[in-house]
Amino acid sequence: MNGLQLEFITPPPISKRTLELGVKYSPEFVCMPMKINLGNFIEALEMGADTIVMGGGWGPCRFGYYAQIERDILQELGYDFQMIVLEASDSKTKSLFKQLQSLGQNVSLRQALQSIKFAWDKMTAVEQVEKGLEYYLPRTNKPDEAERIYEQGLKEIIAAVNGRQSMQIARQIVQKMQKLESNSQEPLVIGLVGEVYTVLEPAANYEITKVLGRLGAEVRRTIYMTDWINDHLLGGHVKASTRRQVLKCAQPYLNYWVGGHGQETIGTTVAMARQGCDGIIQIGPLTCMPEIVAQTILPLVSKKEGIPCMTLWFDELTGTAGVQTRLEAFIDMVSRRKYTAGKVEEA
Ligand code: SF4
């Protein structure tokens, strides 16, 4: 936005208030990402935003209606703003760039492309730091320090003024994590699959990566932001994509698109089981239709591929203690299973 010479307002990080606002004004049975989004928008409008840029969508799930419903709700609440909806155009990159033109009127095409590249580099840097935490948190005796380094890294990347600097920061942060005292334990490897927003947004998944890391499990996520952008907006041209292989793995179990990432959830569970993961946790917002479809198929995948799977649904009534207890029980079960299979020495 800076590079496009647009003044922007970043809403505050997602908090209890964000969710409360969203819950108060959303239809009761809508999925949690929309409630959080609505809360984000209200907080941004309160801070003076006059334009909202929102992703669009289509297909069997509810995402395609989000932008329109949110716009109507916010207008009824009396906010004065315009909403620009960017329709995610699976592989039709040209049409996406046309939609982006309305945001880039203050700059030349070259400047616009530079801004996009900078945003991409920052996202990649953030993901490297996230991957660093996912890898080193279960391997260190100093989990507080690992999380502190991670938070510091995010702040430094936000402040970075160019792509090269953000990548350099990411490398330094990962090196710092690497130097933390090791706990000399072989962590369990848990695949995290499910609805994309819940997987990507720590506030929506009760910081599941950190909880699992502290329980001695390395999280292998199926999706990062750049993967989604690459697969759905840029035709898979910017970085290597595993989507085709994942959909192939899903074929014997679910051979058609059910909206959202339902098919990917099945495909990635199969792929991760074959790569030697110790367990799979599927996460999603309560009532998420594509993930409900995937959940009904997971027991068969679990049996045939020989991997324990658990599903966790989140909504505004979910409690931190409940999530912690279920994760502890799952990790305990996976760890005993691995031990009895003779794969690790008993601690
Ligand atoms: S994928 Fe699930 S959570 Fe996301 S919009 Fe669709 S139904 Fe809602």
Side-chain angles (χ1 to χ4, degrees):
M1 292 291 170
N2 262 335
L4 298 176
Q5 293 178 17
L6 294 170
E7 194 187 337
F8 66 94
I9 287 174
T10 310
I14 297 165
S15 64
K16 204 165 161 250
R17 180 174 185 264
T18 316
L19 187 57
E20 279 169 3
L21 284 169
V23 169
K24 187 169 175 189
Y25 297 114
S26 301
E28 186 182 351
F29 288 108
V30 81
C31 32
M32 195 166 77
M34 191 190 122
K35 292 175 182 167
I36 296 177
N37 265 188
L38 192 68
N40 293 143
F41 293 156
I42 292 175
E43 290 184 315
L45 292 166
E46 285 173 349
M47 291 165 72
D50 59 15
T51 304
I52 291 173
V53 181
M54 174 66 188
W58 74 98
C61 91
R62 286 167 276 189
F63 184 61
Y65 296 104
Y66 272 20
Q68 288 75 13
I69 293 174
E70 286 166 341
R71 186 191 54 212
D72 290 356
I73 294 172
L74 293 169
Q75 280 172 349
E76 272 179 28
L77 289 174
Y79 292 108
D80 185 17
F81 64 99
Q82 66 155 331
M83 187 176 256
I84 298 174
V85 183
L86 302 176
E87 295 294 341
S89 52
D90 258 354
S91 305
K92 294 191 187 103
T93 316
K94 255 191 200 165
S95 85
L96 178 77
F97 274 105
K98 262 194 191 156
Q99 295 171 43
L100 283 171
Q101 265 174 356
S102 59
L103 295 173
Q105 284 166 353
N106 299 336
V107 294
S108 65
L109 178 65
R110 191 162 168 269
Q111 285 170 310
L113 290 175
Q114 276 172 347
S115 310
I116 293 171
K117 169 83 172 59
F118 181 26
W120 179 269
D121 287 343
K122 273 203 174 189
M123 272 188 280
T124 308
V126 167
E127 288 168 6
Q128 285 191 5
V129 173
E130 286 176 342
K131 284 178 187 167
L133 186 73
E134 286 156 10
Y135 185 84
Y136 289 109
L137 188 58
R139 289 177 166 82
T140 178
N141 274 335
K142 310 257 180 210
D144 291 343
E145 185 60 8
E147 287 186 16
R148 194 198 59 74
I149 295 171
Y150 164 77
E151 300 295 343
Q152 182 62 29
L154 292 187
K155 277 188 202 148
E156 288 178 22
I157 292 170
I158 288 172
V161 292
N162 58 46
R164 223 179 59 191
Q165 192 187 15
S166 42
M167 296 304 287
Q168 201 176 0
I169 294 167
R171 274 194 298 275
Q172 287 165 355
I173 292 296
V174 175
Q175 278 165 8
K176 278 189 192 172
M177 291 183 189
Q178 203 175 1
K179 285 184 189 147
L180 289 171
E181 189 188 330
S182 160
N183 59 17
S184 315
Q185 279 172 14
E186 185 195 344
L188 294 171
V189 179
I190 300 293
L192 190 65
V193 303
E195 190 272 333
V196 59
Y197 180 84
T198 319
V199 173
L200 290 176
E201 173 53 64
N205 64 34
Y206 290 73
E207 305 266 10
I208 196 166
T209 301
K210 290 183 185 168
V211 178
L212 287 170
R214 282 173 179 263
L215 289 173
E218 177 192 342
V219 172
R220 298 245 171 104
R221 262 161 57 180
T222 51
I223 191 144
Y224 292 85
M225 196 64 203
T226 54
D227 296 325
W228 189 90
I229 292 178
N230 183 49
D231 285 344
H232 297 281
L233 301 183
L234 303 174
H237 297 308
V238 181
K239 63 189 265 197
S241 169
T242 55
R243 191 154 180 249
R244 230 179 241 181
Q245 288 152 267
V246 164
L247 296 184
K248 208 169 160 201
C249 287
Q251 249 175 25
Y253 301 98
L254 179 61
N255 194 20
Y256 52 91
W257 187 55
V258 292
H261 275 69
Q263 210 180 353
E264 281 89 342
T265 292
I266 297 299
T268 332
T269 301
V270 174
M272 284 179 158
R274 293 177 187 171
Q275 285 158 14
C277 273
D278 299 305
I280 298 288
I281 299 180
Q282 177 203 21
I283 58 174
L286 194 69
T287 77
C288 171
M289 189 274 286
E291 294 303 324
I292 290 173
V293 174
Q295 186 194 18
T296 61
I297 298 165
L298 275 182
L300 179 66
V301 180
S302 168
K303 196 173 163 196
K304 289 214 163 183
E305 305 291 335
I307 188 161
C309 300
M310 176 177 79
T311 301
L312 279 180
W313 297 114
F314 299 108
D315 73 356
E316 60 271 21
L317 300 176
T318 307
T320 316
V323 173
Q324 175 84 26
T325 309
R326 288 201 62 193
L327 290 177
E328 279 172 13
F330 184 70
I331 292 299
D332 192 40
M333 183 273 286
V334 172
S335 152
R336 279 166 195 274
R337 182 178 179 273
K338 190 169 177 175
Y339 169 66
T340 47
K343 287 189 187 172
V344 291
E345 298 291 328
E346 193 169 17

